[in-house]
Amino acid sequence: MMTRRKWLLFTLLVVGVSQGVTADLEEINDSPEGETSFHSPNTEEEEVPTGARMVVEQTHFPREEVSQDSEGGGEGSSEEPSLLDVTGTEDLPTEPVDAEEKQKALQRVVGGTADGEPCFFPYLFLGKEFTVCTTEGRGDGRLWCSTTYDYDRDKKWGFCETEDQAKQRRQAQEAEDLYQTAIKIINGTSKTSQKKEGYSILMKAAEMGHTKAMEKVAYAMLFGDYMTQNTHQARELFEKLLIEGSPKAQTGLGFLHAVGLGVNSSQAKALVYYTFGALGGNLIAHMILGYRYWGGIGVPQSCESALTHYRLVANHVASDISLTGGSVVQRIRLLDEVENPGVASGMLEEDLIQYYQFLAEKGDVQAQVGLGQLHLHGGRGVEQNHERAFEYFNQAANAGNTHAMAFLGKMYSEGSDSLPQNNETAMQYFKKAADLGNPVGQSGLGMAYLYGRGVPVNYDMALKYFQKAAEQGWVDGQLQLGTMYYNGIGVKRDYKQALKYFNLASQAGHILAFYNLAQMHATGTGVMRSCHTAVELFKNVCERGHWSERMMTAYSHYKEGEADLAVVQYLLLAEQGYEVAQSNVAFILDQGEAKLFSENETFPRALLHWNRAAAQGYTVARIKLGDYHFYGYGTDVDYETAVIHYRLASEQQHNAQAMFNLGYMHEKGLGIKQDIHLAKRFYDMAAEASPDAQVPVFLALCKLGLVYSLQYLQEMNAQELMSQIDLDQLLGPEWDLYLMTIIALLLGTVIAYRQRQHQGVPRPAAPQRPQGEQREPEQ
């Protein structure tokens, strides 16, 4: 009977996941707790227990206020029991616990003076009680136990393991020691050589069967992180780990099958692996499933299922946001760098950083504050470094800069490895900055009074300082005001005011503002419930997780000429739904720089990722889709589909390139009815939409005018004459290109002639000095 019950529970669980994990299940898994499961070369991470509860610091929405209402709008009710309360009263099977206790009580010894007898727990040895087998008293490290309570009196004992078991245990302990050593080296340095040494030690632990080491090595081989990239070995390691039920391995295999890396692409297998990875608590798997259900990729499109997965990941991301904020991640489009080389990518050049450091050393306060913020948050090519940040802020604060004082207060309030947490010191800096009218300091004082950090809790004072900070446009003040109005802390609960301040904070890009707005739209609190809006907001929050640091790693590899390493990392981010990663994957494949895939696969894969990026609103990707169908890259030539994509880009994003292309297709009658008047209209619209389009539009209109003149003559009595003239036969099939070239040369000649005329105009002679004002020659 028990076997049937377990099978029924398992069947219900799988069916629930395959349908997108219902909103009720999401209440159970509402907030994971623990470390994320995504492989990072710099951090040690564990899987997330799916049933754990997480509290989002400072902006926590109590469950009774935002309980999930999947039926529609309406505010959350504190009296409605959650699914956790209901399921907590069920009778769960207790046999595994009883069996474990029974096994412990009846564990029989091997050898010794009581071979075959059961261990007796607890037992007394050298005046100390033991409740488990021990190695104390032995030099060979083998586990033993007593079969009576008083070993010292009875001397009845035996081994708890065979020699083979003891050898395996010692090997496992050795592997664990190697693993801990490797992790300490990897996390304790930023030098590439030392990290490579750490991964070489990690490889030894993996060869000894250490699960966590195998997971890290597998991902390191997949991405080429401080190890030689080898997708085949990575797949083999994932398959070995699969036997042990590793969620990381399940997610890794899902990724390989999704993108067809080292295996035949299979979206069905990918979905299965992703689903079981998510069941094991892997946040990356949850995020991928959220994107797939949102976009209908390999599964039926389901907003509610996407909301479930994204919400779970967003809870985790929001809980990691501190007062100082998270690290900044640059999202750089490779295509934009190529097409607009003069536009800054957001990365700071080394020379510029050194220049700012030089100014800071010379006492430039603005440079000190700027460098302090760069090192506090990281980003723009600068690594996060709290020690350096503290030094720069301290120098600027000593010079009287209120921003620096406030940021020092933030650092002391949060604490870090390099700076012990100290509420009293934080309060001093916050108060000094606030008294001088600094909004950052005012917000910091508000936080201190709101949570009682160094001062007694005082909601009136907190509200006062948050209002002062918000009036000056400081995002933290706006966010905390929204939180107070939402929860009714120190003020009457007002969801409209909460919504107002959360919207203001979201305009500055604050992650927690997006998270709080998502919660309100997901539950219909203060607004009409909107699953679509909630998913987009939660997706934004999820993409701020620390796994997005992989974006900059991929960019660095690409700039170093390692396109294969870059494309694999961009591919995983693309699976997670990052639009920038999708367009970067498509660009690298379009340029033919990645060697991981065969030539006949390159354009179809690029087309797939351009399509996904276009679906998320990237205009250039939409135009690329039109180009691919126009020229037949990765698909058959299809002018009608090309027209559809160009029209979407033209109507939705008013793109000049799309308008020009539509004009050309109207002119030629490609995939659409030939119409010279509509062609001219689209050319004119392109010229109005972008100044860069004016020259090509001028040339196209000149050619169009000639074509129109010829058509006009044909419609008149000169039909016989014109019928004898075949321009394609006379001038060749590309006569229109020749004509445009001639027009361009004529235009260039006119411009050059006018410039020469302008230069040839004699300038008026300078007035001569009177004779008496001429300078005397120097002696």
Side-chain angles (χ1 to χ4, degrees):
M1 186 64 184
M2 184 54 61
T3 304
R4 291 182 60 190
R5 184 178 180 182
K6 289 181 178 178
W7 175 249
L8 179 60
L9 287 172
F10 176 78
T11 305
L12 289 173
L13 181 60
V14 173
V15 170
V17 172
S18 67
Q19 294 178 350
V21 190
T22 64
D24 287 339
L25 180 60
E26 188 249 346
E27 284 295 318
I28 298 177
N29 297 338
D30 187 47
S31 300
E33 181 176 48
E35 297 296 329
T36 181
S37 58
F38 182 69
H39 167 77
S40 169
N42 300 321
T43 57
E44 166 58 7
E45 300 154 342
E46 301 293 338
E47 298 300 332
V48 179
T50 56
R53 173 71 179 143
M54 177 187 300
V55 177
V56 180
E57 184 187 3
Q58 302 170 2
T59 57
H60 168 55
F61 287 87
R63 178 178 292 275
E64 61 269 20
E65 296 298 337
V66 292
S67 60
Q68 176 74 10
D69 180 8
S70 60
E71 292 298 321
E75 297 175 3
S77 172
S78 59
E79 298 177 1
E80 183 179 353
S82 68
L83 187 58
L84 278 175
D85 299 328
V86 177
T87 55
T89 61
E90 291 185 1
D91 294 329
L92 300 178
T94 57
E95 283 74 13
V97 179
D98 293 341
E100 184 180 346
E101 292 296 329
K102 184 177 180 181
Q103 182 182 7
K104 180 178 176 182
L106 299 178
Q107 183 172 3
R108 298 187 179 277
V109 299
V110 179
T113 60
D115 184 39
E117 294 184 16
C119 290
F120 189 94
F121 297 111
Y123 60 89
L124 197 65
F125 173 60
L126 298 179
K128 180 181 176 183
E129 276 194 350
F130 292 85
T131 57
V132 293
C133 297
T134 182
T135 59
E136 288 195 25
R138 296 197 60 82
D140 57 3
R142 288 188 68 180
L143 292 169
W144 67 277
C145 69
S146 173
T147 58
T148 62
Y149 173 72
D150 193 343
Y151 168 82
D152 297 326
R153 180 192 65 203
D154 302 328
K155 304 296 182 184
K156 303 286 281 183
W157 68 280
F159 292 112
C160 297
E161 56 190 0
T162 64
E163 289 187 14
D164 289 341
Q165 291 172 333
K167 183 179 178 180
Q168 291 174 2
R169 183 177 55 80
R170 285 193 293 268
Q171 184 176 348
Q173 184 59 49
E174 183 183 352
E176 176 65 21
D177 293 340
L178 285 172
Y179 175 76
Q180 295 298 337
T181 301
I183 293 300
K184 188 175 181 181
I185 293 173
I186 293 169
N187 291 343
T189 183
S190 59
K191 295 182 179 179
T192 302
S193 59
Q194 293 180 352
K195 285 186 179 290
K196 286 183 177 180
E197 179 188 352
Y199 271 93
S200 65
I201 298 173
L202 206 61
M203 185 68 181
K204 293 178 182 176
E207 290 170 351
M208 297 172 70
H210 193 282
T211 301
K212 292 180 182 178
M214 290 170 70
E215 290 172 344
K216 282 193 169 290
V217 167
Y219 276 101
M221 286 181 170
L222 178 62
F223 295 130
D225 286 333
Y226 309 106
M227 300 183 77
T228 303
Q229 188 179 39
N230 191 324
T231 55
H232 178 72
Q233 286 190 22
R235 178 172 61 83
E236 289 182 347
L237 283 173
F238 284 144
E239 288 173 347
K240 288 180 182 177
L241 289 163
L242 195 64
I243 300 172
E244 301 177 21
S246 166
K248 288 184 180 180
Q250 290 163 339
T251 304
L253 280 172
F255 167 66
L256 293 178
H257 282 89
V259 301
L261 197 60
V263 294
N264 292 327
S265 178
S266 172
Q267 298 305 317
K269 288 184 178 180
L271 180 63
V272 171
Y273 285 127
Y274 284 147
T275 300
F276 281 99
L279 282 172
N282 189 284
L283 292 176
I284 298 301
H286 275 294
M287 194 170 169
I288 291 172
L289 286 175
Y291 174 65
R292 286 183 165 241
Y293 280 109
W294 183 60
I297 300 173
V299 292
Q301 194 168 17
S302 171
C303 183
E304 294 297 336
S305 298
L307 178 62
T308 298
H309 291 288
Y310 272 131
R311 191 178 197 177
L312 189 146
V313 181
N315 287 340
H316 176 85
V317 173
S319 72
D320 284 343
I321 304 302
S322 65
L323 183 60
T324 55
S327 59
V328 178
V329 179
Q330 297 295 128
R331 303 187 185 192
I332 302 172
R333 295 187 193 278
L334 302 179
L335 180 61
D336 289 351
E337 280 200 339
V338 172
E339 294 191 348
N340 304 295
V343 179
S345 65
M347 299 287 288
L348 288 177
E349 299 290 339
E350 184 64 29
D351 293 343
L352 189 58
I353 295 173
Q354 290 178 0
Y355 173 69
Y356 284 132
Q357 290 173 342
F358 172 77
L359 291 178
E361 290 171 3
K362 292 295 183 182
D364 188 303
V365 176
Q366 295 302 322
Q368 291 167 348
V369 174
L371 285 171
Q373 288 178 305
L374 273 176
H375 285 93
L376 178 64
H377 301 296
R380 303 193 69 181
V382 178
E383 288 189 4
Q384 197 171 25
N385 187 325
H386 283 187
E387 289 183 18
R388 296 292 301 277
F390 178 79
E391 291 173 7
Y392 286 121
F393 284 141
N394 200 35
Q395 292 172 13
N398 291 336
N401 186 275
T402 57
H403 259 8
M405 296 174 193
F407 276 106
L408 282 174
K410 276 191 169 191
M411 294 186 71
Y412 274 111
S413 179
E414 288 298 314
S416 64
D417 293 337
S418 57
L419 189 69
Q421 197 269 347
N422 190 315
N423 286 329
E424 288 72 21
T425 307
M427 273 294 297
Q428 292 174 10
Y429 280 113
F430 282 143
K431 192 168 189 321
K432 197 171 181 181
D435 289 343
L436 295 171
N438 184 275
V440 186
Q442 292 166 346
S443 179
L445 271 184
M447 295 291 291
Y449 282 113
L450 182 62
Y451 294 103
R453 297 176 179 174
V455 290
V457 172
N458 188 326
Y459 294 143
D460 292 336
M461 292 294 290
L463 183 68
K464 169 188 169 183
Y465 281 113
F466 286 145
Q467 286 175 336
K468 286 184 176 182
E471 286 170 2
Q472 297 188 61
W474 182 240
V475 62
D476 285 340
Q478 296 165 343
L479 176 73
Q480 297 306 327
L481 269 181
T483 304
M484 293 184 75
Y485 277 112
Y486 183 90
N487 292 315
I489 301 174
V491 291
K492 184 180 178 181
R493 179 170 294 170
D494 189 335
Y495 292 133
K496 294 289 171 59
Q497 285 291 324
L499 186 68
K500 168 190 169 183
Y501 285 111
F502 287 151
N503 276 320
L504 286 172
S506 69
Q507 290 171 13
H510 202 295
I511 303 177
L512 294 180
F514 287 121
Y515 175 78
N516 296 340
L517 285 172
Q519 292 281 28
M520 295 183 76
H521 282 91
T523 57
T525 305
V527 293
M528 288 293 292
R529 186 178 187 273
S530 172
C531 177
H532 183 79
T533 304
V535 167
E536 288 189 338
L537 289 166
F538 275 135
K539 182 176 182 290
N540 196 324
V541 174
C542 294
E543 290 181 359
R544 307 290 186 92
H546 70 79
W547 41 76
S548 61
E549 294 172 7
R550 179 71 57 189
M551 192 82 74
M552 286 309 302
T553 307
Y555 176 76
S556 299
H557 282 309
Y558 180 78
K559 298 303 285 186
E560 292 168 4
E562 298 173 326
D564 284 345
L565 300 185
V567 79
V568 173
Q569 297 179 63
Y570 278 135
L571 275 168
L572 181 58
L573 292 166
E575 278 288 292
Q576 292 172 246
Y578 287 84
E579 178 269 307
V580 173
Q582 292 167 349
S583 60
N584 285 350
V585 168
F587 173 78
I588 293 174
L589 294 174
D590 183 84
Q591 299 296 307
E593 296 175 292
K595 307 303 179 187
L596 288 172
F597 307 110
S598 61
E599 289 186 10
N600 60 343
E601 291 182 89
T602 302
F603 282 123
R605 288 176 181 274
L607 180 65
L608 171 69
H609 286 89
W610 285 130
N611 193 38
R612 291 183 181 179
Q616 297 199 59
Y618 184 37
T619 310
V620 177
R622 181 67 66 188
I623 295 172
K624 285 286 186 181
L625 286 176
D627 293 345
Y628 272 49
H629 286 92
F630 186 90
Y631 294 108
Y633 295 157
T635 184
D636 296 330
V637 173
D638 188 342
Y639 294 136
E640 288 81 5
T641 305
V643 167
I644 291 171
H645 288 298
Y646 290 144
R647 183 163 287 154
L648 284 171
S650 171
E651 293 175 354
Q652 295 177 2
Q653 285 97 18
H654 305 287
N655 184 271
Q657 180 68 56
M659 295 172 184
F660 186 90
N661 293 351
L662 282 173
Y664 182 80
M665 296 183 81
H666 271 294
E667 178 188 342
K668 293 293 185 181
L670 300 174
I672 200 168
K673 183 181 178 182
Q674 188 174 21
D675 190 326
I676 291 179
H677 300 287
L678 277 177
K680 183 179 184 304
R681 179 184 172 189
F682 278 108
Y683 284 143
D684 289 338
M685 289 169 60
E688 291 173 4
S690 173
D692 295 336
Q694 290 179 359
V695 172
V697 165
F698 171 77
L699 298 175
L701 287 175
C702 289
K703 187 196 74 169
L704 193 63
L706 180 61
V707 171
Y708 180 77
S709 300
L710 292 174
Q711 285 185 354
Y712 180 75
L713 290 174
Q714 283 180 341
E715 290 173 1
M716 297 186 64
N717 296 329
Q719 288 184 357
E720 275 188 31
L721 175 65
M722 296 306 299
S723 62
Q724 295 176 3
I725 300 175
D726 187 348
L727 292 177
D728 285 345
Q729 186 177 359
L730 184 65
L731 302 177
E734 305 293 338
W735 65 271
D736 54 345
L737 296 178
Y738 300 149
L739 179 61
M740 290 178 68
T741 305
I742 292 171
I743 294 172
L745 290 173
L746 289 173
L747 183 63
T749 304
V750 171
I751 294 172
Y753 175 74
R754 294 191 63 183
Q755 286 181 342
R756 288 187 61 185
Q757 268 195 330
H758 180 70
Q759 292 172 357
V761 175
R763 297 182 179 179
Q768 295 185 354
R769 294 172 178 268
Q771 188 69 25
E773 294 183 10
Q774 291 185 359
R775 296 180 57 185
E776 296 292 333
E778 295 182 359
Q779 299 295 328

